[in-house]
Amino acid sequence: MRKMERYICATCGTQYSLSNDQPESCKICEDQRQYVSSSGQKWTTLEEMQRSQKFTNEIEYKEEGIYGITTKPKFAIGQTAYLIQSKGFNILWDCITYLDEETIEKIKQSGGIDAIALSHPHYYSTQVEWAETFDAPIYIHENDRKWVTRLSDRIRFWSGDSLELSEEITLHCIGGHFKGGTILHWKNNNDGVLFTGDIIQIVADQPWVSFMYSYPNLIPLPAEKVQSMAEYTNKLSFHRLYNAFDKVIKENAHESVQKSAKRYIKALRGELFDS
């Protein structure tokens, strides 16, 4: 009998539950917000990635209390996860697929991980592997339950608009890219920082941001949804914003989100163009 494996989609990096055979398809990639590679569906495993000795995780200091964790060379979507250290509470924001002993040791030396929280399904990756390794719960919004590809008792589905995880860390569901699209607000001694994955995405022309239903397929969100996202974030106090791809707006991030939402809505209504 073929050995049971937890297969990982090579395009999005999401790990599936144990099975004898490779899944027929990846439900994350078959959704219109993602895509199946033009070369076809391909699978790997975490063990295969580790054996290849091709990958390593770069852990980079960003500012006091924030470390970015990125796999090199790029694997799948190529997102950055963030380890946030806040008053005795360490949280991993979003997740990456690759995990090895070197990464584990470095994070344990930094105090470990008390909780893992996800912005949306594209970054679920090997979240259960991380949770089991660091004995941490995973927080996912109830609205995105159907996208979980590897169930675990460590996953805690939450509901409503917000969930306070510690004195300074709160999750907020603002939807958009996914119905359960979540952002993380860190009070940081009243020097607020917002982590958005790509629920709110920093664009090339910083300090502007954007909002999309699908980034690879360039499907926009409706004006009404962007307006509600802007109104919600307007209630939060933050000065800096980190996205999922190692970009940061270092000052006036609150203003950037608001003015970007106004520009986006104008564009959808045809009010931004010369002709």
Side-chain angles (χ1 to χ4, degrees), residues 71-131:
T71 299
K72 300 295 179 68
K74 175 185 174 182
F75 176 73
I77 295 174
Q79 72 271 16
T80 292
Y82 292 96
L83 179 63
I84 306 163
Q85 300 173 322
S86 171
K87 293 185 177 181
F89 183 79
N90 290 0
I91 184 166
L92 184 70
W93 170 246
D94 278 330
C95 200
I96 57 176
T97 303
Y98 190 64
L99 181 62
D100 60 11
E101 289 301 324
E102 182 179 1
T103 304
I104 293 167
E105 184 59 29
K106 286 181 178 179
I107 291 177
K108 285 184 175 179
Q109 288 175 1
S110 298
I113 295 171
D114 298 304
I116 300 170
L118 285 300
S119 63
H120 71 290
H122 290 157
Y123 306 146
Y124 288 176
S125 58
T126 58
Q127 58 182 359
V128 177
E129 299 281 352
W130 286 75

Side-chain angles (χ1 to χ4, degrees), residues 174 200 211 223-236 238 254 257-258 261 265:
I174 63 171
I200 299 174
F211 318 79
E224 295 77 10
K225 184 59 200 177
V226 175
Q227 181 64 43
S228 72
M229 295 168 76
E231 289 174 355
Y232 193 107
T233 54
N234 194 37
K235 298 181 291 184
L236 303 176
F238 59 96
H254 186 280
V257 173
Q258 296 304 310
I265 292 168

Side-chain angles (χ1 to χ4, degrees), residues 4-266:
M4 295 188 74
E5 302 274 11
R6 292 187 175 94
Y7 288 100
I8 293 171
C9 171
T11 301
C12 72
T14 303
Q15 185 184 58
Y16 282 70
S17 298
L18 277 171
S19 63
N20 285 315
D21 300 308
Q22 296 176 354
E24 293 184 4
S25 61
C26 173
K27 67 178 181 180
I28 302 292
C29 289
E30 288 201 327
D31 176 67
Q32 59 190 348
R33 280 160 287 203
Q34 181 54 11
Y35 61 94
V36 177
S37 172
S38 59
S39 60
Q41 179 68 62
K42 295 181 180 179
W43 300 93
T44 185
T45 66
L46 183 56
E47 292 76 14
E48 184 177 329
M49 293 176 69
Q50 292 167 341
R51 286 195 301 269
S52 75
Q53 298 185 335
K54 174 183 178 181
F55 299 100
T56 186
N57 283 338
E58 180 180 277
I59 302 178
E60 183 179 5
Y61 174 86
K62 299 299 181 182
E63 61 175 274
E64 186 66 31
I66 301 175
Y67 291 86
I69 310 173
T70 311
T71 299
K72 300 295 179 68
K74 175 185 174 182
F75 176 73
I77 295 174
Q79 72 271 16
T80 292
Y82 292 96
L83 179 63
I84 306 163
Q85 300 173 322
S86 171
K87 293 185 177 181
F89 183 79
N90 290 0
I91 184 166
L92 184 70
W93 170 246
D94 278 330
C95 200
I96 57 176
T97 303
Y98 190 64
L99 181 62
D100 60 11
E101 289 301 324
E102 182 179 1
T103 304
I104 293 167
E105 184 59 29
K106 286 181 178 179
I107 291 177
K108 285 184 175 179
Q109 288 175 1
S110 298
I113 295 171
D114 298 304
I116 300 170
L118 285 300
S119 63
H120 71 290
H122 290 157
Y123 306 146
Y124 288 176
S125 58
T126 58
Q127 58 182 359
V128 177
E129 299 281 352
W130 286 75
E132 291 180 347
T133 298
F134 294 100
D135 191 22
I138 301 169
Y139 292 92
I140 293 174
H141 197 275
E142 172 71 24
N143 287 342
D144 287 341
R145 177 191 288 262
K146 70 177 183 179
W147 297 105
V148 174
T149 57
R150 180 183 172 186
L151 293 174
S152 168
D153 291 340
R154 295 184 180 272
I155 299 176
R156 300 180 183 177
F157 294 103
W158 62 280
S159 59
D161 291 336
S162 65
L163 177 66
E164 185 177 296
L165 295 182
S166 75
E167 179 184 347
E168 291 205 321
I169 299 286
T170 303
L171 304 179
H172 298 273
C173 180
I174 63 171
H177 188 35
F178 273 78
K179 188 176 181 181
T182 297
I183 57 177
L184 182 151
H185 182 241
W186 180 26
K187 289 182 181 178
N188 192 26
N189 296 317
N190 296 318
D191 183 27
V193 186
L194 200 66
F195 295 83
T196 62
D198 55 13
I199 303 302
I200 299 174
Q201 178 69 289
I202 299 173
V203 296
D205 185 15
Q206 291 192 43
W208 294 87
V209 301
S210 194
F211 318 79
M212 295 289 277
Y213 181 74
S214 169
Y215 289 95
N217 300 319
L218 302 179
I219 304 173
L221 287 169
E224 295 77 10
K225 184 59 200 177
V226 175
Q227 181 64 43
S228 72
M229 295 168 76
E231 289 174 355
Y232 193 107
T233 54
N234 194 37
K235 298 181 291 184
L236 303 176
S237 176
F238 59 96
H239 306 288
R240 295 181 299 290
L241 186 151
Y242 285 83
N243 80 343
F245 297 96
D246 205 23
K247 290 184 179 180
V248 56
I249 297 176
K250 295 183 178 179
E251 58 185 14
N252 302 320
H254 186 280
E255 177 186 347
S256 294
V257 173
Q258 296 304 310
K259 72 178 184 180
S260 296
K262 290 178 181 178
R263 182 176 74 169
Y264 192 101
I265 292 168
K266 281 186 176 181

